[in-house]
Coordinates of all heavy atoms in Angstrom, one line a residue:
M14 N 50.1 129.7 71.4 CA 51.3 129.9 72.2 C 52.3 129.0 71.8 O 52.1 127.8 71.5 CB 50.9 129.7 73.7 CG 52.1 129.7 74.6 SD 51.8 129.6 76.4 CE 51.0 128.1 76.5
N15 N 53.6 129.3 71.9 CA 54.7 128.5 71.5 C 55.5 128.3 72.8 O 55.7 129.2 73.6 CB 55.7 129.2 70.5 CG 55.0 129.3 69.1 OD1 54.3 128.4 68.7 ND2 55.1 130.5 68.5
V16 N 56.0 127.1 73.0 CA 57.0 126.7 74.1 C 58.3 126.5 73.5 O 58.5 125.8 72.5 CB 56.5 125.4 74.8 CG1 57.4 125.0 75.8 CG2 55.1 125.7 75.4
L17 N 59.3 127.1 74.2 CA 60.7 126.9 73.8 C 61.5 126.5 75.0 O 61.4 127.1 76.1 CB 61.3 128.2 73.2 CG 62.7 128.2 72.7 CD1 62.9 127.3 71.5 CD2 63.1 129.5 72.2
N18 N 62.2 125.3 74.9 CA 63.0 124.8 76.0 C 64.5 125.0 75.6 O 64.9 124.6 74.6 CB 62.6 123.3 76.2 CG 63.1 122.6 77.4 OD1 62.7 121.5 77.6 ND2 63.9 123.3 78.2
I19 N 65.1 125.7 76.5 CA 66.7 126.0 76.3 C 67.4 125.1 77.4 O 67.2 125.2 78.5 CB 67.0 127.4 76.6 CG1 66.1 128.4 75.8 CG2 68.5 127.7 76.2 CD1 66.2 128.3 74.3
I20 N 68.3 124.3 76.8 CA 69.1 123.5 77.7 C 70.4 124.3 77.9 O 71.1 124.6 76.9 CB 69.4 122.1 77.0 CG1 68.2 121.3 76.8 CG2 70.5 121.4 77.8 CD1 67.4 120.8 78.2
V21 N 70.6 124.6 79.2 CA 71.8 125.5 79.5 C 73.0 124.7 80.0 O 74.0 125.3 80.1 CB 71.4 126.7 80.4 CG1 70.4 127.6 79.7 CG2 70.9 126.2 81.7
E22 N 72.6 123.5 80.4 CA 73.7 122.7 81.1 C 73.6 121.2 80.7 O 72.5 120.7 80.8 CB 73.6 122.9 82.6 CG 74.7 122.2 83.3 CD 74.6 122.6 84.8 OE1 73.9 121.9 85.5 OE2 75.2 123.6 85.3
G23 N 74.6 120.6 80.3 CA 74.5 119.2 80.0 C 74.9 118.4 81.2 O 75.0 118.9 82.3
V24 N 75.1 117.1 81.0 CA 75.1 116.0 82.1 C 76.6 116.3 82.8 O 76.6 116.1 84.0 CB 75.1 114.7 81.8 CG1 73.5 114.4 81.3 CG2 76.0 114.3 80.6
S25 N 77.5 116.8 82.2 CA 78.8 117.2 82.7 C 78.9 118.5 83.5 O 79.9 118.9 83.9 CB 79.8 117.0 81.6 OG 79.7 118.0 80.7
R26 N 77.7 119.2 83.5 CA 77.6 120.5 84.0 C 78.4 121.6 83.2 O 78.5 122.7 83.6 CB 78.2 120.6 85.5 CG 77.3 119.7 86.5 CD 77.6 119.9 87.9 NE 77.4 121.3 88.3 CZ 76.1 121.8 88.7 NH1 75.1 121.2 88.7 NH2 76.1 123.0 89.2
A27 N 78.7 121.2 82.1 CA 79.3 122.1 81.0 C 78.1 122.8 80.3 O 77.0 122.3 80.4 CB 80.2 121.4 80.0
P28 N 78.4 123.8 79.5 CA 77.3 124.4 78.8 C 76.5 123.3 77.9 O 77.2 122.3 77.5 CB 78.0 125.4 77.9 CG 79.1 125.9 78.7 CD 79.6 124.5 79.3
G29 N 75.3 123.4 77.7 CA 74.5 122.5 76.9 C 74.9 122.4 75.6 O 75.4 123.3 74.9
E30 N 74.9 121.2 75.1 CA 75.3 120.8 73.6 C 74.0 120.4 72.9 O 73.0 120.0 73.5 CB 76.3 119.8 73.6 CG 77.7 120.2 74.3 CD 78.4 121.3 73.5 OE1 78.1 121.5 72.3 OE2 79.1 122.1 74.2
V31 N 74.1 120.4 71.6 CA 73.0 120.1 70.8 C 72.5 118.6 71.1 O 71.4 118.3 71.1 CB 73.4 120.1 69.3 CG1 72.3 119.5 68.3 CG2 73.6 121.6 68.9
E32 N 73.5 117.7 71.4 CA 73.2 116.4 71.8 C 72.4 116.2 73.0 O 71.5 115.5 73.2 CB 74.4 115.5 71.9 CG 75.3 115.3 70.6 CD 76.1 116.5 70.3 OE1 76.3 117.5 71.1 OE2 76.6 116.6 69.1
D33 N 72.7 117.2 74.0 CA 72.0 117.2 75.4 C 70.5 117.6 75.0 O 69.6 117.0 75.6 CB 72.6 118.3 76.3 CG 74.1 117.9 76.7 OD1 74.3 116.7 76.9 OD2 74.9 118.8 76.6
A34 N 70.3 118.6 74.2 CA 68.9 119.0 73.9 C 68.2 117.9 73.2 O 67.0 117.7 73.6 CB 69.0 120.3 72.9
A35 N 68.8 117.2 72.3 CA 68.0 116.1 71.6 C 67.7 115.0 72.6 O 66.7 114.4 72.5 CB 68.9 115.6 70.4
A36 N 68.7 114.7 73.4 CA 68.4 113.7 74.4 C 67.4 114.0 75.3 O 66.5 113.1 75.7 CB 69.7 113.4 75.2
W37 N 67.3 115.2 75.8 CA 66.2 115.7 76.7 C 64.8 115.6 76.0 O 63.9 115.1 76.7 CB 66.5 117.1 77.1 CG 65.5 117.8 78.0 CD1 64.5 118.6 77.7 CD2 65.5 117.7 79.5 NE1 63.8 119.0 78.9 CE2 64.4 118.5 80.0 CE3 66.3 117.0 80.4 CZ2 64.1 118.5 81.2 CZ3 66.0 117.1 81.7 CH2 64.9 117.8 82.1
R38 N 64.8 116.1 74.8 CA 63.5 116.1 74.0 C 63.1 114.6 73.8 O 61.9 114.3 74.1 CB 63.8 116.7 72.6 CG 62.4 116.8 71.7 CD 62.8 117.0 70.3 NE 63.6 115.9 69.8 CZ 64.7 116.1 69.1 NH1 65.2 117.4 68.9 NH2 65.4 115.1 68.7
D39 N 64.1 113.7 73.5 CA 63.6 112.3 73.2 C 63.2 111.6 74.5 O 62.3 110.8 74.5 CB 64.8 111.6 72.5 CG 65.1 112.2 71.1 OD1 64.2 112.9 70.6 OD2 66.1 111.9 70.6
Q40 N 64.1 111.8 75.6 CA 63.7 111.2 76.8 C 62.4 111.4 77.4 O 61.7 110.5 77.9 CB 64.9 111.6 77.9 CG 64.6 110.9 79.3 CD 65.7 111.4 80.3 OE1 66.6 112.0 80.0 NE2 65.5 111.0 81.5
F41 N 61.9 112.6 77.2 CA 60.6 113.0 77.8 C 59.5 113.1 76.6 O 58.4 113.6 76.9 CB 60.7 114.2 78.6 CG 61.7 114.1 79.8 CD1 62.8 114.6 79.8 CD2 61.1 113.4 81.0 CE1 63.6 114.4 80.9 CE2 61.9 113.2 82.1 CZ 63.1 113.8 82.0
D42 N 59.9 112.7 75.4 CA 59.0 112.7 74.3 C 58.3 114.1 74.2 O 57.0 114.3 74.1 CB 58.0 111.6 74.5 CG 57.1 111.4 73.2 OD1 57.7 111.6 72.1 OD2 56.0 111.0 73.3
L43 N 59.1 115.2 74.4 CA 58.5 116.6 74.2 C 58.1 116.9 72.8 O 58.7 116.5 71.9 CB 59.6 117.6 74.6 CG 60.2 117.3 76.1 CD1 61.3 118.2 76.4 CD2 59.1 117.3 77.1
R44 N 57.1 117.7 72.8 CA 56.4 118.1 71.4 C 56.8 119.6 71.1 O 56.1 120.2 70.3 CB 54.9 117.9 71.6 CG 54.6 116.5 71.9 CD 54.7 115.5 70.7 NE 54.1 114.3 71.1 CZ 54.9 113.1 70.9 NH1 56.1 113.2 70.4 NH2 54.2 111.9 71.2
W45 N 57.7 120.1 71.8 CA 58.2 121.4 71.4 C 59.6 121.5 71.2 O 60.4 120.5 71.4 CB 57.8 122.4 72.5 CG 58.3 122.0 73.9 CD1 59.6 122.1 74.4 CD2 57.5 121.4 74.8 NE1 59.7 121.6 75.7 CE2 58.4 121.2 76.0 CE3 56.2 121.1 75.1 CZ2 58.0 120.6 77.2 CZ3 55.8 120.5 76.2 CH2 56.7 120.3 77.3
E46 N 60.1 122.7 70.7 CA 61.4 122.9 70.4 C 62.4 122.9 71.7 O 62.0 123.3 72.7 CB 61.6 124.3 69.8 CG 61.0 124.4 68.4 CD 61.7 123.6 67.4 OE1 62.9 123.3 67.4 OE2 61.0 123.2 66.4
V47 N 63.4 122.1 71.6 CA 64.5 122.1 72.6 C 65.8 122.5 72.0 O 66.3 121.9 71.0 CB 64.6 120.7 73.3 CG1 65.6 120.8 74.3 CG2 63.2 120.2 73.8
L48 N 66.3 123.6 72.4 CA 67.6 124.1 71.9 C 68.7 124.1 72.9 O 68.5 124.0 74.1 CB 67.3 125.6 71.6 CG 66.3 125.8 70.4 CD1 66.2 127.3 70.2 CD2 66.4 125.0 69.2
A49 N 69.9 124.1 72.5 CA 71.1 124.1 73.4 C 71.8 125.5 73.5 O 72.0 126.1 72.4 CB 72.1 123.0 72.9
D50 N 72.0 126.0 74.6 CA 72.7 127.3 74.7 C 74.2 127.0 74.8 O 74.9 127.2 75.8 CB 72.2 127.9 76.1 CG 72.8 129.2 76.3 OD1 73.2 129.9 75.3 OD2 72.8 129.7 77.5
T51 N 74.8 126.6 73.7 CA 76.1 126.2 73.6 C 77.1 127.3 73.9 O 78.2 127.0 74.5 CB 76.4 125.7 72.2 OG1 76.2 126.7 71.2 CG2 75.6 124.4 71.8
D52 N 76.7 128.6 73.7 CA 77.7 129.7 74.0 C 77.3 130.4 75.2 O 77.9 131.5 75.5 CB 77.8 130.6 72.8 CG 76.6 131.2 72.4 OD1 75.5 131.0 73.1 OD2 76.5 132.0 71.3
E53 N 76.3 130.0 76.0 CA 75.9 130.5 77.2 C 75.2 132.0 77.0 O 75.0 132.7 78.0 CB 76.9 130.6 78.3 CG 77.4 129.3 78.7 CD 78.4 129.4 79.8 OE1 79.4 130.1 79.7 OE2 78.1 128.7 80.9
E54 N 74.9 132.3 75.7 CA 74.3 133.6 75.5 C 73.0 133.8 76.1 O 72.6 134.7 76.8 CB 74.2 133.9 74.1 CG 73.7 135.3 73.8 CD 73.8 135.6 72.3 OE1 74.5 135.0 71.5 OE2 73.1 136.5 71.9
W55 N 72.1 132.7 76.1 CA 70.7 132.7 76.7 C 70.8 132.9 78.1 O 70.2 133.8 78.7 CB 70.0 131.5 76.3 CG 68.7 131.3 77.0 CD1 68.5 130.7 78.2 CD2 67.4 131.9 76.6 NE1 67.1 130.8 78.6 CE2 66.4 131.6 77.6 CE3 67.0 132.7 75.4 CZ2 65.2 131.9 77.5 CZ3 65.7 133.0 75.4 CH2 64.8 132.8 76.4
V56 N 71.5 132.1 78.8 CA 71.6 132.1 80.3 C 72.2 133.4 80.7 O 71.7 134.0 81.8 CB 72.3 130.9 80.9 CG1 73.8 131.0 80.7 CG2 71.8 130.7 82.3
M57 N 73.2 133.9 80.1 CA 73.7 135.2 80.5 C 72.8 136.4 80.3 O 72.9 137.4 81.0 CB 75.1 135.4 79.9 CG 76.1 134.4 80.2 SD 76.3 134.0 82.0 CE 77.1 135.6 82.5
T58 N 71.9 136.3 79.3 CA 70.9 137.4 79.0 C 69.6 137.2 79.8 O 69.1 138.2 80.4 CB 70.6 137.4 77.5 OG1 71.9 137.5 76.7 CG2 69.6 138.5 77.2
W59 N 69.1 136.0 79.9 CA 67.8 135.8 80.4 C 67.8 134.9 81.7 O 66.8 134.9 82.4 CB 66.8 135.0 79.4 CG 66.7 135.8 78.1 CD1 67.4 135.6 77.0 CD2 66.0 137.0 78.0 NE1 67.0 136.5 76.0 CE2 66.2 137.4 76.6 CE3 65.1 137.8 78.8 CZ2 65.5 138.5 76.1 CZ3 64.6 138.9 78.2 CH2 64.7 139.2 76.9
G60 N 68.9 134.2 82.0 CA 69.0 133.4 83.2 C 69.3 134.2 84.4 O 69.5 135.3 84.4
D61 N 69.5 133.3 85.4 CA 69.9 134.0 86.7 C 71.3 134.5 86.6 O 72.2 133.8 86.2 CB 69.8 132.8 87.7 CG 69.8 133.3 89.1 OD1 69.7 134.5 89.4 OD2 69.6 132.5 90.1
P62 N 71.4 135.7 86.8 CA 72.8 136.5 86.6 C 74.0 135.9 87.3 O 73.9 135.2 88.4 CB 72.5 137.8 87.1 CG 71.1 138.0 87.3 CD 70.5 136.7 87.4
G63 N 75.1 136.0 86.7 CA 76.4 135.4 87.3 C 77.0 134.4 86.4 O 76.3 133.5 85.9
S64 N 78.2 134.4 86.2 CA 78.9 133.5 85.4 C 78.9 132.1 86.0 O 79.5 131.8 87.0 CB 80.3 133.8 85.2 OG 81.0 132.9 84.5
R65 N 78.1 131.1 85.4 CA 78.0 129.8 85.9 C 77.5 129.7 87.2 O 77.8 128.6 87.9 CB 79.4 129.0 85.6 CG 80.0 129.2 84.3 CD 79.4 128.4 83.1 NE 79.2 126.9 83.6 CZ 78.1 126.3 83.1 NH1 77.4 126.8 82.2 NH2 78.1 125.0 83.4
T66 N 76.8 130.6 87.8 CA 76.2 130.5 89.1 C 74.7 130.5 89.1 O 74.0 130.8 90.0 CB 76.7 131.5 90.1 OG1 76.4 132.9 89.5 CG2 78.2 131.5 90.2
Y67 N 74.1 130.3 88.0 CA 72.7 130.4 87.7 C 72.0 129.1 88.2 O 72.5 128.0 88.4 CB 72.4 130.6 86.2 CG 73.0 129.5 85.3 CD1 72.4 128.3 85.2 CD2 74.2 129.8 84.8 CE1 73.1 127.3 84.3 CE2 74.8 128.8 84.0 CZ 74.2 127.6 83.8 OH 74.8 126.7 83.0
S68 N 70.7 129.3 88.4 CA 69.8 128.1 88.6 C 69.8 127.3 87.4 O 69.6 127.9 86.3 CB 68.5 128.6 89.2 OG 67.6 127.6 89.4
Q69 N 69.7 126.0 87.6 CA 69.4 125.1 86.5 C 68.1 125.3 85.8 O 67.9 125.2 84.7 CB 69.5 123.6 87.0 CG 69.2 122.6 85.9 CD 70.1 122.5 84.7 OE1 71.2 123.2 84.7 NE2 69.8 121.8 83.7
H70 N 67.1 125.8 86.7 CA 65.8 126.0 86.1 C 65.5 127.5 86.2 O 65.4 128.1 87.2 CB 64.8 125.2 87.0 CG 65.1 123.8 87.0 ND1 64.5 123.0 86.1 CD2 65.7 123.0 87.9 CE1 64.8 121.7 86.3 NE2 65.5 121.7 87.4
S71 N 65.2 128.1 85.0 CA 64.8 129.5 85.0 C 63.7 129.5 84.0 O 63.7 128.8 83.0 CB 65.9 130.5 84.7 OG 66.4 130.3 83.3
Y72 N 62.8 130.4 84.2 CA 61.5 130.5 83.4 C 61.3 131.9 83.0 O 61.3 132.8 83.9 CB 60.4 129.9 84.1 CG 60.6 128.5 84.7 CD1 61.1 128.4 86.0 CD2 60.4 127.4 83.9 CE1 61.3 127.1 86.5 CE2 60.7 126.2 84.5 CZ 61.1 126.0 85.7 OH 61.4 124.7 86.2
T73 N 61.1 132.1 81.7 CA 60.9 133.5 81.3 C 59.6 133.5 80.4 O 59.5 132.7 79.5 CB 62.1 134.1 80.5 OG1 63.2 134.0 81.4 CG2 61.9 135.5 80.1
V74 N 58.8 134.4 80.5 CA 57.5 134.7 79.7 C 57.8 136.0 79.0 O 58.0 137.0 79.6 CB 56.3 134.5 80.5 CG1 55.0 135.0 79.7 CG2 56.0 133.3 81.2
L75 N 57.6 135.9 77.7 CA 57.6 137.1 76.9 C 56.3 137.4 76.3 O 55.5 136.6 76.0 CB 58.6 136.8 75.6 CG 60.0 136.3 76.0 CD1 60.8 136.1 74.7 CD2 60.7 137.3 76.8
D76 N 56.0 138.8 76.2 CA 54.7 139.1 75.5 C 54.9 139.1 74.0 O 55.9 138.7 73.5 CB 54.2 140.5 76.1 CG 55.1 141.7 75.6 OD1 56.0 141.5 74.7 OD2 54.9 142.8 76.1
R77 N 53.8 139.5 73.4 CA 53.8 139.3 71.8 C 54.9 140.2 71.2 O 55.2 140.0 70.1 CB 52.5 139.7 71.3 CG 51.5 138.6 71.6 CD 50.0 138.9 71.2 NE 49.1 137.8 71.4 CZ 48.7 137.5 72.7 NH1 49.0 138.2 73.7 NH2 47.7 136.5 72.7
Q78 N 55.3 141.3 71.8 CA 56.4 142.1 71.4 C 57.8 141.8 71.8 O 58.8 142.3 71.4 CB 56.2 143.5 71.8 CG 55.0 144.3 71.1 CD 53.7 143.8 71.7 OE1 53.5 143.6 72.9 NE2 52.8 143.6 70.7
G79 N 57.9 140.6 72.4 CA 59.2 140.0 72.9 C 59.7 140.6 74.2 O 60.9 140.4 74.4
R80 N 58.9 141.3 74.9 CA 59.4 141.9 76.2 C 59.0 141.0 77.3 O 58.1 140.2 77.3 CB 58.6 143.1 76.5 CG 58.8 144.3 75.4 CD 58.1 145.5 75.7 NE 56.6 145.1 75.7 CZ 55.7 145.8 75.1 NH1 55.9 147.0 74.5 NH2 54.4 145.4 75.0
V81 N 60.1 140.9 78.2 CA 59.9 139.9 79.4 C 58.8 140.5 80.3 O 58.8 141.7 80.7 CB 61.2 140.0 80.2 CG1 61.1 139.1 81.5 CG2 62.4 139.3 79.4
T82 N 57.9 139.7 80.5 CA 56.8 140.1 81.5 C 56.8 139.3 82.8 O 56.1 139.8 83.8 CB 55.4 139.8 80.8 OG1 55.3 138.4 80.4 CG2 55.2 140.6 79.5
W83 N 57.5 138.2 82.8 CA 57.6 137.4 84.1 C 58.8 136.6 84.0 O 59.2 136.1 83.0 CB 56.3 136.6 84.2 CG 56.2 135.7 85.4 CD1 55.7 136.0 86.6 CD2 56.6 134.4 85.5 NE1 55.8 134.9 87.5 CE2 56.4 133.9 86.8 CE3 57.3 133.5 84.7 CZ2 56.7 132.7 87.3 CZ3 57.5 132.1 85.0 CH2 57.3 131.8 86.4
Q84 N 59.4 136.4 85.2 CA 60.6 135.5 85.2 C 60.7 135.0 86.6 O 60.4 135.6 87.6 CB 61.9 136.4 84.9 CG 63.1 135.6 84.6 CD 64.1 136.4 84.0 OE1 64.3 137.6 84.3 NE2 65.0 135.9 83.1
D85 N 61.2 133.7 86.7 CA 61.4 133.1 88.0 C 62.6 132.1 87.9 O 62.9 131.6 86.8 CB 60.2 132.2 88.3 CG 60.3 131.6 89.7 OD1 60.8 132.3 90.6 OD2 59.5 130.7 90.0
F86 N 63.3 132.0 89.0 CA 64.5 131.1 89.0 C 64.3 130.1 90.1 O 63.6 130.2 91.1 CB 65.7 131.9 89.4 CG 66.0 133.2 88.5 CD1 65.9 134.4 88.9 CD2 66.3 132.9 87.1 CE1 66.0 135.5 88.1 CE2 66.5 134.0 86.4 CZ 66.4 135.3 86.8
G87 N 64.8 128.9 89.8 CA 64.6 127.7 90.7 C 63.4 126.9 90.3 O 62.9 127.1 89.2
E88 N 63.1 126.0 91.2 CA 62.0 125.1 90.9 C 61.2 124.9 92.1 O 61.8 124.6 93.2 CB 62.5 123.8 90.3 CG 61.5 122.9 89.9 CD 62.1 121.6 89.3 OE1 63.3 121.4 89.2 OE2 61.3 120.9 88.7
D89 N 59.8 125.0 92.0 CA 59.0 124.7 93.2 C 57.8 124.0 92.7 O 57.5 123.9 91.5 CB 58.8 125.9 94.1 CG 57.9 127.0 93.3 OD1 57.0 126.6 92.7 OD2 58.4 128.1 93.4
A90 N 56.9 123.6 93.6 CA 55.7 122.8 93.1 C 54.8 123.6 92.4 O 53.9 123.1 91.7 CB 55.0 122.2 94.4
N91 N 54.8 125.0 92.5 CA 53.8 125.9 91.9 C 54.3 126.4 90.6 O 53.6 127.3 90.1 CB 53.4 127.0 92.9 CG 52.8 126.4 94.0 OD1 52.0 125.5 94.0 ND2 53.3 127.0 95.2
V92 N 55.5 126.1 90.1 CA 56.0 126.8 88.9 C 55.1 126.6 87.7 O 55.0 127.6 86.9 CB 57.5 126.3 88.6 CG1 57.5 124.8 88.0 CG2 58.1 127.2 87.6
V93 N 54.5 125.5 87.4 CA 53.6 125.4 86.3 C 52.4 126.3 86.4 O 52.1 127.0 85.4 CB 53.2 123.9 86.0 CG1 52.2 123.8 85.0 CG2 54.4 123.0 85.8
S94 N 51.8 126.3 87.4 CA 50.7 127.3 87.7 C 51.1 128.7 87.6 O 50.3 129.6 87.0 CB 49.9 127.0 88.9 OG 50.7 127.1 90.0
S95 N 52.3 129.0 88.0 CA 52.8 130.4 87.9 C 53.0 130.8 86.6 O 52.7 131.9 86.1 CB 54.1 130.4 88.7 OG 53.9 130.3 90.1
I96 N 53.6 129.9 85.7 CA 53.9 130.2 84.3 C 52.6 130.3 83.6 O 52.3 131.3 82.9 CB 54.7 129.0 83.6 CG1 56.1 129.0 84.2 CG2 54.7 129.2 82.3 CD1 56.9 127.8 83.9
A97 N 51.5 129.4 83.8 CA 50.3 129.6 83.2 C 49.6 130.9 83.5 O 49.0 131.6 82.7 CB 49.4 128.4 83.7
A98 N 49.7 131.3 84.8 CA 49.1 132.6 85.2 C 49.7 133.8 84.5 O 49.2 134.8 84.1 CB 49.2 132.8 86.8
A99 N 51.1 133.7 84.4 CA 51.8 134.8 83.6 C 51.5 134.8 82.1 O 51.3 135.9 81.6 CB 53.4 134.5 83.8
V100 N 51.2 133.8 81.6 CA 50.8 133.7 80.2 C 49.5 134.2 80.0 O 49.2 135.0 79.1 CB 51.0 132.3 79.6 CG1 50.4 132.1 78.2 CG2 52.4 131.8 79.5
D101 N 48.6 133.8 80.9 CA 47.2 134.3 80.9 C 47.0 135.8 81.1 O 46.1 136.4 80.7 CB 46.3 133.6 82.0 CG 46.1 132.1 81.6 OD1 46.3 131.7 80.4 OD2 45.7 131.4 82.5
A102 N 48.0 136.4 81.9 CA 48.0 137.9 82.0 C 48.5 138.7 80.9 O 48.2 139.9 81.0 CB 48.9 138.1 83.4
I103 N 49.0 138.1 79.9 CA 49.4 138.8 78.7 C 48.2 139.3 78.0 O 47.3 138.5 77.5 CB 50.3 138.0 77.8 CG1 51.5 137.6 78.5 CG2 50.7 138.7 76.5 CD1 52.5 136.6 77.7
P104 N 48.1 140.6 77.7 CA 46.9 141.1 77.0 C 46.8 140.6 75.5 O 47.8 140.3 74.9 CB 47.1 142.6 77.1 CG 48.4 142.8 77.6 CD 48.9 141.6 78.1

């Protein structure tokens, strides 16, 4: 399984920049790809709909064919287990 982290918003609440993605990866010593959504294409396609009214946290699980099989917006205490269950449900 591959994990991809998309930074959609920087510290100034402007669209994420490459520097924001690198800082996030380094701050938390992440071992996966962290990309910046500099043109807001990711968030407008996969994030919570609406121009700049999306949740800071959105999660999308794709199957092996690249189809969305699960999506959640916001953040709660069960999000990690929800993502794991969605991944496990992929045939």
Side-chain angles (χ1 to χ4, degrees):
M14 173 176 57
N15 294 317
V16 174
L17 181 62
N18 192 171
I19 309 292
I20 299 296
V21 299
E22 188 174 86
V24 294
S25 66
R26 300 194 55 88
E30 297 294 334
V31 173
E32 294 81 10
D33 298 316
W37 182 262
R38 181 196 62 232
D39 295 346
Q40 178 180 352
F41 295 103
D42 195 28
L43 302 177
R44 304 286 187 229
W45 53 76
E46 294 291 331
V47 181
L48 305 176
D50 186 19
T51 58
D52 60 4
E53 297 185 303
E54 185 174 341
W55 172 267
V56 76
M57 296 310 290
T58 303
W59 301 106
D61 203 355
S64 177
R65 308 288 307 151
T66 59
Y67 53 84
S68 169
Q69 173 66 10
H70 300 277
S71 65
Y72 309 91
T73 305
V74 174
L75 306 175
D76 67 11
R77 288 174 177 80
Q78 287 73 42
R80 295 178 298 228
V81 174
T82 60
W83 180 87
Q84 198 168 31
D85 189 25
F86 304 113
E88 185 172 8
D89 64 49
N91 298 319
V92 71
V93 173
S94 59
S95 296
I96 293 169
V100 169
D101 289 344
I103 296 173

